[in-house]
Every structure is written in structure tokens, then in C-alpha cells.
Amino acid sequence: MTDDLKQALRQLAQKYETSSFMDADQSQFTRWYSRQEDVEAACFIAAMLSFGSRSQFIPKIRGIFELADKSGGMEKWLILRDFEKNFDENSPNFAQKGENLPKFYRFYSFSDMNSLFSELSEILKESGTFGEFLKKKYENLNSQDQLPGALADLISR
């Protein structure tokens, strides 16, 4: 690594690795949970919604996480399918003044999100974690040649 690159990286870290930036950034959701089962599911959901304006998607993600926390965490919320009880267009956690429901966020409807949550629930029930799910899928492949080299190396660890 060159000295110029090191200096540039340090400058970027000083600018962006601050609490004021992180608290307004979607990366805040990577620290919401500590259990692997919760972290993986939460990060996947946050990644699915982290596009567009932060002022629009961060409250949506936070609302999902707050609902999950009422059930004891993201994994439990998904596995017990608690989202079916309280994740819809009538939920006060998601209705915003002037919002045209039944869209949840941009082109995702509440129905789309519930379908996603249902699929995530099945993955967790089947495998316990997303990491285990991917590992099982990898092990079922006929050969490592079916995956790009870097991905095959990562999964085989």
C-alpha cells in the first residue's frame, strides 16, 4: 500500500468514522443486535431497503427493528412469524403523513415485505442462520467450479 493511499484512507476514516455520521447512516443497523442469528437477518433486511434517501429508508428500517424487538429480536420475530400480526399498512409505526399506502417503501408493498419475511423465516427454521443456509447450499453443489473462485474460497472456510 502506498503512502498516498494510506493517507487518503486515514482522511476518509476521520471524516466518516464518527458518531455523528454513523448515527445517520444505514451502517447503524449492523450494530443493532449482537447475536449472530439476529445480526445476519437484520443486516439482510436493512440492505434490502438501503437505497434512495436516508431520511426515507432509515425510519422504515428502524420501524421493522422496533417491531422485531417487541418479540425478542429479529430471529425470533421472523421464526415465530410475528410480522404477520403487526406488519401491515395500518401499522402506526409505518404510516406517515401524506404517504400513499399500501406501499411500504418505494416499490415494496407491505405484501412484498411480508413475502420476504416469510422466506427469511423458512431459511432460519431450516438452517438456524443465513451463514449455515449458504454453507448447506454450497455443500449441495456438484463442484466448486460452479462458483467464482473468491466466493468458493470464502464459503469453504
Side-chain angles (χ1 to χ4, degrees):
M1 185 179 317
T2 67
D3 289 338
D4 288 343
L5 179 56
K6 287 180 188 178
Q7 182 179 352
L9 291 173
R10 284 189 186 108
Q11 288 173 340
L12 289 170
Q14 287 174 347
K15 179 178 180 180
Y16 294 111
E17 290 184 11
T18 64
S19 62
S20 63
F21 179 83
M22 302 281 277
D23 291 344
D25 188 70
Q26 62 268 29
S27 65
Q28 68 182 278
F29 297 111
T30 64
R31 299 179 307 279
W32 194 282
Y33 297 105
S34 59
R35 292 181 59 247
Q36 177 182 352
E37 296 85 352
D38 291 321
V39 170
E40 290 178 355
C43 287
F44 185 83
I45 291 169
M48 292 294 298
L49 296 170
S50 292
F51 59 91
S53 169
R54 288 183 190 180
S55 65
Q56 295 294 311
F57 68 74
I58 286 178
K60 300 292 187 175
I61 297 168
R62 184 175 290 115
I64 291 170
F65 284 28
E66 288 170 351
L67 283 176
D69 285 351
K70 290 177 183 175
S71 296
M74 187 61 69
E75 177 202 27
K76 189 173 180 182
W77 186 68
L78 290 168
I79 288 177
L80 296 177
R81 300 180 75 92
D82 281 353
F83 56 86
E84 293 175 342
K85 298 175 192 169
N86 56 16
F87 189 83
D88 61 38
E89 59 270 11
N90 299 315
S91 173
N93 296 310
F94 301 104
Q96 295 178 359
K97 187 176 182 181
E99 191 171 16
N100 187 15
L101 297 175
K103 289 292 182 199
F104 170 67
Y105 175 63
R106 302 207 45 174
F107 46 79
Y108 290 129
S109 68
F110 281 92
S111 176
D112 294 333
M113 294 304 296
N114 279 318
S115 294
L116 172 66
F117 298 151
S118 293
E119 292 299 320
L120 297 179
S121 175
E122 294 305 313
I123 288 171
L124 291 174
K125 285 177 186 175
E126 175 186 323
S127 303
T129 68
F130 288 110
E132 284 301 313
F133 174 77
L134 291 172
K135 184 178 178 183
K136 286 178 186 177
K137 291 296 182 186
Y138 170 76
E139 290 169 350
N140 288 333
L141 293 174
N142 293 330
S143 74
Q144 289 186 359
D145 294 337
Q146 293 175 312
L147 290 175
L151 181 57
D153 291 343
L154 177 68
I155 294 175
S156 65
R157 290 184 188 172

